Every structure is written in structure tokens, then in C-alpha cells.
């Protein structure tokens, strides 16, 4: 368990007990990780958890305010109920990962790609429920990132050109990728995809394990249906044909 988690858990214990926080409640100096010019990063509890045995690896850019909110509400509730420190990150992960419409849209697209059939499920929603041992989800930047107080979308500043944000990706995301280097990787949106493409070009990932073309599931992405339709057939073939090395050996 990271020393960062222990530090911020003590701060979380001082938050009021609520079902939902406002920005005034949690975008506070005590939870600020780093701030450079217009870019601010705030602590989230759910990205402390790592499922090192996952076969499916869904990757976003950064938690938004809603995910940050959910993770801190869950963590605060855990501290009040006396849940052990070891259990808190997993509980926060279950509560916060791609919560709300994001999760609903991801599940809908995965079902349309027939991912559930590949892994013997009835529905891809089981990945977020009783079959979550198959799944690891993360954000390349583990902390909620805001630009001028608004959720960072990966564009301004451009992710690959931001020394600040790439520092967190290299420190946090790359080690997870090394652990799950053989998993089927689902990047949420073009900014995440651009990072994976660079790793593919560097020989650190296999193109056939990455569902390139998977759109960002946000309702604000007006082109997601068109993007999905364009790449659907290719993604379905990748899912059907991809085998992790242990499956090939077996």
C-alpha cells in the first residue's frame, strides 16, 4: 500500500460524511496533488487498486470530478465503518470506475462487440460485478485532472506534449502496463490511443491486443456512434482472435 494512500486517507477522514460532495468540499488545498499554471491534479482513492491477474484492461485518461467524488465518498464511508485500509482501495474502485453513463456506454459497446462471449459471460456488465476478477480499469493519469477548473479531456494541453501529465503516465500507468502486458487493452478515446500507438511503434505493445478505434464513451462525444461503427468489425475480429500467451501455450 502506498505511502500516498496513507497520507491522503488521514485527510479523507476529516471530510464530512455525505452521499455526494460539491467541488467546494473536495477541490481543496489538502487534496491537491500538484498544480502547474492552469492544470490542477487532485487525489482520488480508487486508482490505488491493482488487479494484476486481469485479462481485460480498460484505460481512460483521467478521473473526472464525478469519479473523484464517488471514490472519496466511498473512502470516507469506509473509514467511518471501520473497514481495513487494505480493503478500501478495492471498494473505492468498484464504486467509482467509469461510474454513471460512462460505464453504461462502455458496457453497451462491449456487448455489441460480443466481448462477453469471448470470456464466457452473459453480459459485459458482469465485468463490473461478479466477474470483475477478469477486469482491471485505470486512468493513465491516476488523479482527477482539471484545466481552469474543468475536467481535462486530453486536448488542451495535448497529452503527449505535456511534461507534467506525461510524468504521471510514466510513473503510474507504464508499470501497470508492464504487469498486464498481455491483456486485451481497451483505450477510451483518441488521447489514450495515441499513447498506446507510440508504445506499439516502440515494440512495447502488440497492435493485435489493443482495440484501437474504441471511442470515448462520454455522452459529450457526439461522434462516438460514428467512430464505433467505423471500427466495429475490426475490433470484433481482434477480440475473437486474440489469445493471451498462456492460452496459446495451453
Amino acid at each position: 500500500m502506498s505511502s500516498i494512500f496513507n497520507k491522503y486517507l488521514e485527510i479523507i477522514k476529516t471530510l464530512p460524511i455525505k452521499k455526494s460532495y460539491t467541488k467546494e468540499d473536495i477541490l481543496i488545498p489538502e487534496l491537491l496533488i500538484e498544480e502547474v499554471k492552469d492544470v490542477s491534479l487532485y487525489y482520488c482513492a480508487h486508482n490505488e487498486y491493482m488487479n494484476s491477474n486481469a485479462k481485460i484492461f480498460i484505460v481512460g485518461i483521467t478521473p473526472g470530478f464525478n469519479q473523484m467524488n464517488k471514490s472519496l465518498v466511498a473512502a470516507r464511508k469506509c473509514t467511518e465503518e471501520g473497514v481495513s485500509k487494505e480493503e478500501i482501495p478495492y471498494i473505492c474502485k468498484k464504486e467509482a470506475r467509469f461510474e454513471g453513463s460512462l460505464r453504461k456506454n462502455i458496457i453497451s459497446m462491449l456487448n455489441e462487440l460480443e466481448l462477453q462471449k469471448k470470456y464466457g459471460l452473459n453480459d459485459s456488465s458482469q465485468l463490473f460485478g461478479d466477474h470483475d476478477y477478469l477486469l482491471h480499469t485505470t486512468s493513465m493519469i491516476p488523479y482527477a485532472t482539471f484545466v481552469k477548473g474543468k475536467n481535462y479531456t486530453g486536448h488542451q494541453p495535448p497529452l503527449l506534449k505535456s511534461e507534467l501529465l506525461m510524468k504521471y503516465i510514466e510513473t503510474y500507468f507504464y508499470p501497470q502496463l508492464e504487469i498486464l502486458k498481455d491483456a486485451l487493452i481497451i483505450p477510451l478515446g483518441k488521447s489514450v490511443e495515441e499513447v498506446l500507438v507510440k508504445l506499439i511503434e516502440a515494440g512495447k505493445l502488440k497492435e493485435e491486443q489493443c482495440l484501437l478505434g474504441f471511442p470515448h464513451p462520454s455522452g459529450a462525444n457526439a461522434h462516438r456512434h460514428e467512430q464505433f461503427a467505423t471500427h466495429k468489425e475490426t475490433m470484433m475480429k481482434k477480440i475473437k482472435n486474440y489469445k493471451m500467451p498462456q492460452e496459446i501455450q495451453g
Side-chain angles (χ1 to χ4, degrees):
M1 185 171 299
S2 73
S3 58
I4 293 175
F5 174 72
N6 289 325
K7 170 188 172 182
Y8 283 98
L9 191 62
E10 293 305 309
I11 297 168
I12 290 168
K13 288 178 182 178
T14 68
L15 294 174
I17 299 170
K18 290 185 174 183
K19 291 184 178 179
S20 182
Y21 292 122
T22 65
K23 287 189 174 183
E24 289 72 25
D25 288 326
I26 56 177
L27 296 187
I28 55 177
E30 293 82 358
L31 291 173
L32 180 67
I33 296 284
E34 188 169 0
E35 187 170 42
V36 177
K37 296 182 180 178
D38 294 331
V39 182
S40 309
L41 289 86
Y42 286 84
Y43 184 76
C44 296
H46 65 294
N47 277 328
E48 297 284 356
Y49 175 77
M50 174 77 200
N51 177 11
S52 58
N53 297 311
K55 294 186 175 183
I56 302 161
F57 189 6
I58 303 179
V59 184
I61 305 172
T62 172
F65 177 78
N66 288 341
Q67 285 181 270
M68 178 187 178
N69 184 16
K70 279 279 189 180
S71 79
L72 296 182
V73 166
R76 181 65 182 94
K77 183 180 179 184
C78 284
T79 63
E80 191 66 17
E81 294 176 351
V83 176
S84 72
K85 283 185 179 180
E86 290 74 21
E87 294 177 274
I88 291 174
Y90 173 66
I91 293 170
C92 292
K93 177 69 82 174
K94 285 188 70 175
E95 288 292 319
R97 56 185 167 196
F98 309 125
E99 67 90 29
S101 61
L102 286 181
R103 188 186 298 185
K104 180 181 176 182
N105 291 341
I106 290 169
I107 289 168
S108 175
M109 286 188 283
L110 293 180
N111 278 338
E112 200 168 336
L113 295 175
E114 300 183 350
L115 182 93
Q116 72 279 15
K117 294 182 180 179
K118 170 78 171 181
Y119 294 96
L121 308 176
N122 294 319
D123 192 278
S124 294
S125 61
Q126 291 175 270
L127 293 172
F128 295 87
D130 57 357
H131 283 66
D132 70 347
Y133 59 85
L134 292 170
L135 177 68
H136 181 56
T137 63
T138 198
S139 301
M140 285 188 165
I141 307 161
Y143 307 119
T145 306
F146 304 94
V147 179
K148 296 182 179 179
K150 296 183 178 180
N151 287 344
Y152 174 61
T153 62
H155 304 299
Q156 293 297 331
L159 189 57
L160 289 172
K161 295 182 179 179
S162 170
E163 184 177 337
L164 169 67
L165 300 181
M166 286 304 298
K167 174 183 72 175
Y168 285 95
I169 290 173
E170 291 166 4
T171 302
Y172 177 80
F173 174 62
Y174 285 6
Q176 291 187 67
L177 198 59
E178 181 60 30
I179 293 169
L180 295 178
K181 61 185 177 182
D182 296 318
L184 181 70
I185 301 171
I186 303 171
L188 301 184
K190 291 184 177 180
S191 296
V192 176
E193 183 174 303
E194 285 174 356
V195 175
L196 295 188
V197 167
K198 283 186 70 72
L199 293 170
I200 291 168
E201 290 172 347
K204 295 180 179 180
L205 279 179
K206 298 184 289 292
E207 194 274 338
E208 61 265 26
Q209 76 182 111
C210 301
L211 290 195
L212 305 181
F214 198 96
H216 194 280
S218 170
N221 179 9
H223 303 291
R224 75 179 192 278
H225 296 296
E226 180 183 347
Q227 292 168 354
F228 182 78
T230 299
H231 299 282
K232 178 180 175 181
E233 186 176 341
T234 301
M235 290 191 289
M236 288 186 76
K237 286 180 180 177
K238 279 189 179 179
I239 291 171
K240 186 175 181 179
N241 295 331
Y242 186 65
K243 288 183 170 58
M244 295 178 69
Q246 58 266 41
E247 293 174 314
I248 295 171
Q249 292 168 8

